[in-house]
Amino acid sequence: MVRRMPAILCAICLGVGLLGILGSVLPVLSTAEENLGLDLLYWLRGVEKPKTEVMVVAIDRKSAKALNLPAAPHKWPRSLHAQFLEALAAYKPAVVAFDLIFHDPQSPISDQAFAEAIRKAGNVILTQPIDRETFPLLDDKGMPISRMTIEKQVSAVPALAAAAVAQAPFPLPKVPIKLNQYWRFGPGLEDMPTLPVVVMHAFAKDAFHDFIGLLKKTDPQASSALPDLNRNTSGMRDVIAAIQPVYQLFNKDDALADRLRTAIHQGRRGRPKSTRERQISAFIELYGAGSSSYLNFYGPPGTVKTLSYHELVSKPAASSRANGFSSLSGKTIFVGQTESDWFKANDGFYTAFTEKTGVDISGVEVAATAFANLMEMKGVHPLEPATHLGLLLAWGGLCALIAIHIPTLASAGGLLLLNGLYLGLAHVQFKSYGIWYPLVVPVLVQTPAAFIAGLGWKYRNANMERKNIREAFGYYLPDDVVNRLAANVKALRGGGKVLYGICLFTDAESYTPLSEKLDPEHLTRLMNDYYEAIFKPIKANKGLILQVVGDSVLAIWSAPQPDDRLKTAARKAAVAIQKAVQEFNSKVDDPLPTRIGIHAGDILLGNIGAIDHFEYRPVGDIVNTASRLEGLNKYLGTWMLMSKEALGKENGNVTRPMGKFVFKGKSHPVQVFEILREHARLSESETDTHRLFSLALEAFEEQRWEDADRLFEKVLKINAGDGPSKFYRKLCDELRQVPPNSDWNGAVHLERK
């Protein structure tokens, strides 16, 4: 039978899950996810080399020194760039992208030489800077009410712009913001494609023709909005001009990318993707994933293969081939400044790999990285929002269940193991597919929260169990004992404490034949009602019930020193017990008349036992004597007897002396008194009876047997049922026949218990 999960447990699991969802939308934790979580995934993955045909040509201080050029790259003569392009053209690169700014003219001869080299190469793309101008907005009175920022692209000098196949911006955030994302289509710039996107289209222009064909076939209604590209006549300029119309088409139809993915998958029919099909898929992912994307860095600066600018310019082609420059063939080349701290170019960006080397990555290598990501379809992909929230909700619930249902140490180990497995899964997904699983919130927020919630749950349960145990123990032990045991269970072996105590012992008459007569269930119900009648008076008078055996009850009143208030309370309890038992007996078919004995003295009160069984009870002669006093009632025909030690100073007319008795096995006599009633005026006959009985008892102790017998007979004439008088008359007859020893002190020796 499966138990239903308590509502509070469900609430805890749900709460830890919702905590993760809430944390994921807080700016401080979302920032930590990028700064810590993503960094950890990069650290686990390590450095990778890009698979795409991409290289960086570095404009660096080494080249400036080798070519005797100024430290400012924008002052380098463009005729030198023309020479560089002519040298590079010998290796037939696929695309050349300059991440340099050429909006200021130089000498006409230098600009014309560079423009001619660009036109001759036919594959050069230039970077456009973005100029931001802020204007105040004025009200009717000419007062400023707001500000407006206008962004516009700044073109290269006309000759260079006309020669290049395209110009494209590449805006990136600056330090101290960590660089994690880039724009594929620039915001506020009429969705202009950025440099990596333009380079991608120039590099894979043949695949783009096939992509347009697949797009027209999949969505015939969109054909009118698409450019008519001819594979044989359309060049890089035509392909790049088609980017914006295609992007706008995807923006209007969110499901278009999914239909294209299905179409290309069905066209493969289970065979592996060809290079052309992979490039078509890359275009589908580019247009179907929005305007921005996370970068997937391959490693620290220099991970993308890098050559120095001067190596191509200063060496003849034959020497360059000998030095391995033939590998430039068919590759995409990004040219730009690579040293972020050179000439205060402010072109360095802080990334996840910066801390390893202390060097920021350059803008040109970021552009090369973004291009390689696009071609490899290996950007960093956060989970879809629904998947992300579902993961956090499920993770929180799972961690909470482990923390709640498993013991604390085991749950700590289990949560560590679970987090290790999760980190392993996140690492594999990131390394293989670039999928970014959240780490900070699940590992650093939800897991500790679940563990703390588990501790709280266990503490709550422990408190409830402790409360239940205390309540259960309360039925058997005094509250102070329960408190001591709750604080330290070793106190069970702590022995006891000597106190002054009053012991009250009860015993029910006719219990033995009654137990034979009734079935166990009926007997149990009867005895429970009987004990209820006895317990109430004891508790009402501040007594402690310590032992219940069969039909007998042992109760005590204890204090560090003798206290008459305890004696009075015990006596009142005895009278109240008799009254309660009489009421009980009047309501049942099987009455249980009850005898009571009370004695006082020093007791040891504590835990008595050994090995694994202990009982909390009083130990000492007064317990045994109280039991003997209860048994003495059988001989005297009384119901309540107490010793002189248990008498208080204020007894009034509530007791009468019963003489002195030496119980079997003992050597010292106990002076006994009968408890009559509590603070009531005696009738005339009762007064005469008690007076005559006292005189008779005095004669008995003085061995005047005839006088004692005569006086006891007078008592019986007044009260024929007086048990003590009957007992003593019989004893007088025995002692007349066999007189006691000469040292007899008037005490009656009992031969039976």
Side-chain angles (χ1 to χ4, degrees):
M1 180 177 180
V2 180
R3 293 195 329 177
R4 293 173 57 186
M5 185 180 296
I8 188 172
L9 182 57
C10 294
I12 291 174
C13 295
L14 181 62
V16 177
L18 293 177
L19 176 65
I21 293 175
L22 176 62
S24 67
V25 300
L26 293 177
V28 63
L29 289 179
S30 59
T31 301
E33 195 66 66
E34 288 196 12
N35 292 337
L36 296 177
L38 193 54
D39 283 10
L40 178 59
L41 290 173
Y42 277 122
W43 180 79
L44 291 172
R45 189 205 66 187
V47 177
E48 290 185 346
K49 290 291 183 181
K51 300 176 182 178
T52 303
E53 304 292 322
V54 61
M55 294 180 68
V56 171
V57 173
I59 294 179
D60 51 13
R61 71 185 74 202
K62 185 190 300 183
S63 296
K65 183 177 181 180
L67 300 174
N68 195 25
L69 295 171
H74 68 276
K75 293 183 179 180
W76 287 15
R78 288 171 187 162
S79 57
L80 182 64
H81 294 323
Q83 183 183 344
F84 164 77
L85 275 180
E86 290 172 359
L88 187 61
Y91 305 107
K92 298 180 180 180
V95 183
V96 178
F98 276 91
D99 187 23
L100 295 171
I101 305 302
F102 300 114
H103 63 284
D104 291 329
Q106 290 185 354
S107 69
I109 296 175
S110 182
D111 283 350
Q112 189 59 41
F114 188 31
E116 186 61 30
I118 292 174
R119 185 177 295 105
K120 185 177 180 180
N123 62 356
V124 176
I125 298 171
L126 303 178
T127 298
Q128 284 181 291
I130 296 176
D131 186 23
R132 294 179 174 87
E133 294 187 53
T134 303
F135 301 93
L137 296 178
L138 307 178
D139 59 13
D140 296 339
K141 298 179 180 180
M143 300 299 293
I145 57 175
S146 182
R147 301 175 69 86
M148 179 176 67
T149 299
I150 297 177
E151 293 183 346
K152 61 180 181 180
Q153 299 176 70
V154 180
S155 176
V157 295
L160 302 182
V165 296
Q167 297 184 87
F170 192 46
L172 290 172
K174 291 306 302 174
V175 177
I177 301 174
K178 178 184 283 190
L179 181 65
N180 286 317
Q181 301 185 64
Y182 73 101
W183 293 104
R184 291 175 298 187
F185 295 89
L189 299 173
E190 300 179 351
D191 295 329
M192 286 291 293
T194 58
L195 182 64
V197 173
V198 173
V199 173
M200 173 189 180
H201 283 74
F203 178 79
K205 58 183 175 51
D206 292 338
F208 187 72
H209 285 95
D210 295 339
F211 168 72
I212 293 295
L214 178 65
L215 187 55
K216 290 181 177 181
K217 181 179 178 181
T218 304
D219 193 0
Q221 295 181 355
S223 298
S224 59
L226 297 174
D228 188 12
L229 297 177
N230 187 296
R231 185 186 300 274
N232 297 321
T233 60
S234 299
M236 287 186 181
R237 292 176 182 269
D238 300 316
V239 169
I240 293 168
I243 295 176
Q244 277 185 292
V246 174
Y247 181 65
Q248 292 168 359
L249 184 64
F250 274 78
N251 275 348
K252 294 177 182 178
D253 187 354
D254 294 336
L256 182 55
D258 288 333
R259 295 201 300 273
L260 289 173
R261 293 186 188 101
T262 302
I264 198 170
H265 177 74
Q266 291 175 346
R268 284 172 36 229
R269 296 180 181 178
R271 60 179 173 79
K273 281 185 179 180
S274 64
T275 300
R276 180 66 56 82
E277 287 172 334
R278 286 197 296 271
Q279 291 178 347
I280 294 172
S281 295
F283 282 118
I284 295 173
E285 298 308 316
L286 166 68
Y287 287 106
S291 61
S292 65
S293 176
Y294 279 90
L295 287 156
N296 191 338
F297 292 101
Y298 296 97
T303 302
V304 177
K305 187 174 181 180
T306 303
L307 302 175
S308 189
Y309 183 93
H310 76 278
E311 295 181 85
L312 283 168
V313 175
S314 61
K315 297 179 181 179
S319 175
S320 297
R321 288 191 181 93
N323 283 277
F325 289 102
S326 58
S327 60
L328 295 170
S329 177
K331 286 185 170 56
T332 296
I333 309 299
F334 284 84
V335 184
Q337 180 179 329
T338 57
E339 294 179 276
S340 60
D341 60 344
W342 180 46
F343 190 64
K344 302 180 181 179
N346 198 25
D347 193 38
F349 298 89
Y350 185 85
T351 71
F353 290 96
T354 296
E355 293 182 0
K356 292 185 176 181
T357 61
V359 179
D360 292 336
I361 194 170
S362 63
V364 66
E365 190 167 355
V366 173
T369 299
F371 165 73
N373 287 173
L374 291 173
M375 294 304 301
E376 297 173 14
M377 294 177 287
K378 198 177 180 182
V380 171
H381 308 293
L383 296 177
E384 292 295 327
T387 305
H388 181 89
L389 298 181
L391 172 65
L392 294 179
L393 191 64
W395 177 263
L398 178 60
C399 289
L401 286 175
I402 292 175
I404 287 170
H405 286 294
I406 300 178
T408 301
L409 290 178
S411 66
L415 288 174
L416 288 175
L417 176 61
L418 183 65
N419 277 265
L421 294 174
Y422 179 76
L423 285 174
L425 172 65
H427 163 61
V428 171
Q429 292 291 312
F430 185 77
K431 182 179 178 64
S432 302
Y433 310 107
I435 299 175
W436 176 14
Y437 279 67
L439 298 181
V440 171
V441 171
V443 175
L444 300 182
V445 176
Q446 287 182 289
T447 300
F451 186 72
I452 293 171
L455 290 178
W457 175 265
K458 290 165 186 171
Y459 180 77
R460 169 189 174 274
N461 285 348
N463 270 354
M464 290 183 63
E465 291 177 2
R466 185 175 180 180
K467 181 180 178 181
N468 291 337
I469 292 172
R470 285 172 61 92
E471 185 176 350
F473 268 89
Y475 291 117
Y476 304 95
L477 296 173
D479 289 341
D480 61 329
V481 177
V482 175
N483 291 335
R484 291 201 302 272
L485 292 180
N488 180 17
V489 73
K490 293 182 179 179
L492 279 173
R493 298 180 178 271
K497 184 177 182 181
V498 176
L499 299 169
Y500 175 81
I502 314 293
C503 284
L504 182 149
F505 198 89
T506 73
D507 187 66
E509 189 179 72
S510 306
Y511 173 76
T512 301
L514 189 62
S515 63
E516 295 177 351
K517 170 185 172 183
L518 301 178
D519 61 85
E521 185 177 353
H522 186 186
L523 180 63
T524 299
R525 288 197 302 269
L526 178 68
M527 294 307 297
N528 285 342
D529 293 340
Y530 168 76
Y531 287 135
E532 182 178 358
I534 291 179
F535 291 172
K536 285 182 178 180
I538 295 174
K539 289 183 174 294
N541 287 278
K542 311 300 182 183
L544 298 180
I545 301 167
L546 293 184
Q547 193 172 0
V548 178
V549 179
D551 58 332
S552 301
V553 174
L554 173 63
I556 69 163
W557 286 256
S558 63
Q561 300 295 331
D563 190 338
D564 277 356
R565 289 176 296 181
L566 301 182
K567 301 175 182 179
T568 301
R571 188 183 68 248
K572 288 181 177 180
V575 174
I577 288 172
Q578 284 297 338
K579 183 178 179 181
V581 169
Q582 289 173 6
E583 293 178 0
F584 167 80
N585 289 337
S586 66
K587 299 176 183 178
V588 298
D589 296 330
D590 301 294
L592 290 168
T594 300
R595 294 182 290 267
I596 299 173
I598 303 175
H599 188 45
D602 291 335
I603 57 171
L604 186 143
L605 186 60
N607 304 297
I608 307 302
I611 306 177
D612 60 354
H613 182 79
F614 290 82
E615 291 185 7
Y616 187 82
R617 65 180 185 181
V619 176
D621 179 66
I622 69 163
V623 180
N624 186 42
T625 301
S627 174
R628 299 291 183 89
L629 286 169
E630 177 276 319
L632 181 60
N633 283 293
K634 299 177 185 179
Y635 299 100
L636 298 181
T638 54
W639 295 105
M640 296 183 290
L641 294 176
M642 66 190 308
S643 66
K644 180 181 180 181
E645 289 79 3
L647 278 176
K649 293 180 179 179
E650 298 179 1
N651 292 298
N653 54 4
V654 297
T655 62
R656 67 166 172 167
M658 289 287 106
K660 294 180 288 186
F661 294 86
V662 178
F663 297 108
K664 183 179 180 181
K666 294 183 176 294
S667 57
H668 299 289
V670 176
Q671 193 165 353
V672 180
F673 292 81
E674 180 187 14
I675 303 173
L676 300 175
R677 58 175 67 87
E678 193 66 25
H679 298 297
R681 184 177 295 276
L682 298 179
S683 65
E684 185 178 349
S685 61
E686 288 176 327
T687 302
D688 292 340
T689 300
H690 292 177
R691 181 178 57 80
L692 291 171
F693 185 85
S694 297
L695 293 173
L697 187 59
E698 183 180 346
F700 175 81
E701 292 175 349
E702 293 176 356
Q703 302 185 36
R704 293 184 287 114
W705 314 122
E706 288 78 5
D707 293 340
D709 184 68
R710 177 175 50 80
L711 290 170
F712 284 128
E713 185 178 4
K714 285 184 178 182
V715 173
L716 290 172
K717 287 180 179 179
I718 299 173
N719 181 9
D722 188 57
S725 297
K726 294 179 180 179
F727 172 81
Y728 276 107
R729 281 201 71 192
K730 182 179 180 182
L731 195 56
C732 286
D733 290 340
E734 294 176 358
L735 291 175
R736 272 198 299 261
Q737 297 175 12
V738 182
N741 297 330
S742 59
D743 59 351
W744 185 62
N745 59 2
V748 178
H749 287 257
L750 299 176
E751 300 300 326
R752 292 183 297 171
K753 292 184 179 180

